[in-house]
Amino acid sequence: DAKTTQPNSMESNEEEPVHLPCNHSTISGTDYIHWYRQLPSQGPEYVIHGLTSNVNNRMASLAIAEDRKSSTLILHRATLRDAAVYYCILKGAQKLVFGQGTRLTINP
Amino acid sequence: DAEITQSPRHKITETGRQVTLACHQTWNHNNMFWYRQDLGHGLRLIHYSYGVQDTNKGEVSDGYSVSRSNTEDLPLTLESAASSQTSVYFCASRPGQGGSDEQFFGPGTRLTVL
């Protein structure tokens, strides 16, 4: 499975945008880019996914580089409830393989 | 509403005992997965199943087994519990095998092996 690289932690302020980066230089042409997040004491939850084009949903936006070797999850206006560990995962085969993720802290 | 549930939510057991963790989903998903998560770490895949009677080993399968007799359930059995198996266990399901499919996770079972 192709690997992803994310910063261990990031910090932002409430009501400000947050950009969470992910590098995946060994991505293959059929790999989808998935983002999940895990709030404290809960199971992971799906955030967004994309293949080549940028994607938007009610939770976030996903910006994918033209060469697909990196992507950025964008939370447009962070709230305290967005404090979580965010996982960037490449999914081509059936299994989701989790890395360490980025722990996002939101300051009030 | 469809959901995925795990039971028990908390379990304390002793070394050497057999333990079974239940996972039940009502989405009729073919694909089901078991992960473990240790403090400060990401999730690691234990076993997974792509359908009834199908089971596969993940990256940390030693000491664990699963069986899939119907679509809704994938119980995880620890044959002889060890202290190293103290962890939080998450079950997940997904409708298909496509790269775009969303995966749904249960609330987790916290297992302590004394």
Side-chain angles (χ1 to χ4, degrees):
Chain A
D1 297 300
K3 299 292 186 183
T4 62
T5 303
Q6 299 177 253
N8 289 332
S9 62
M10 291 184 63
E11 197 169 329
S12 185
N13 298 318
E14 196 175 12
E15 299 188 1
E16 291 184 355
V18 180
H19 291 235
L20 296 165
C22 181
N23 289 319
H24 29 79
S25 58
T26 60
I27 190 170
S28 71
T30 57
D31 285 340
Y32 281 78
I33 302 160
H34 282 244
W35 284 83
Y36 284 73
R37 73 179 185 180
Q38 188 174 20
L39 280 66
S41 300
Q42 295 188 25
E45 65 173 345
Y46 168 83
V47 177
I48 200 167
H49 77 272
L51 184 62
T52 56
S53 303
N54 295 344
V55 183
N56 300 294
N57 67 19
R58 63 175 179 81
M59 291 180 68
S61 295
L62 177 60
I64 302 173
E66 195 168 339
D67 63 5
R68 297 207 331 123
K69 294 184 177 182
S70 65
S71 61
T72 302
L73 179 70
I74 303 165
L75 307 179
H76 294 286
R77 194 175 175 190
T79 70
L80 296 178
R81 290 179 295 177
D82 291 321
V85 178
Y86 287 78
Y87 296 98
C88 169
I89 304 167
L90 300 184
K91 187 175 174 302
Q94 295 85 348
K95 305 184 297 292
L96 280 182
V97 178
F98 285 78
Q100 296 301 310
T102 297
R103 181 173 299 279
L104 177 64
T105 300
I106 304 296
N107 300 314
Chain B
D1 288 339
E3 61 178 355
I4 181 166
T5 57
Q6 294 183 234
S7 62
R9 295 294 312 278
H10 301 272
K11 174 78 175 178
I12 299 175
T13 191
E14 296 177 344
T15 302
R17 289 188 180 269
Q18 183 181 80
V19 177
T20 296
L21 308 183
C23 175
H24 179 79
Q25 51 96 5
T26 59
W27 283 296
N28 204 36
H29 288 167
N30 285 325
N31 305 304
M32 296 185 72
F33 308 82
W34 273 104
Y35 296 85
R36 63 176 285 175
Q37 184 173 37
D38 301 302
L39 190 64
H41 292 80
L43 282 76
R44 292 184 291 172
L45 184 63
I46 305 172
H47 280 287
Y48 56 102
S49 168
Y50 293 145
V52 176
Q53 302 301 330
D54 176 76
T55 60
N56 304 280
K57 293 182 179 180
E59 63 176 308
V60 290
S61 61
D62 287 348
Y64 303 94
S65 63
V66 294
S67 61
R68 188 90 181 271
S69 59
N70 59 53
T71 301
E72 296 80 15
D73 299 289
L74 186 70
L76 176 71
T77 298
L78 285 68
E79 306 293 346
S80 178
S83 57
S84 60
Q85 295 177 307
T86 292
S87 189
V88 180
Y89 291 85
F90 290 102
C91 178
S93 73
R94 193 171 73 235
Q97 299 179 11
S100 62
D101 287 336
E102 176 182 347
Q103 190 156 306
F104 299 85
F105 287 82
T109 294
R110 183 174 298 275
L111 177 68
T112 302
V113 183
L114 301 177

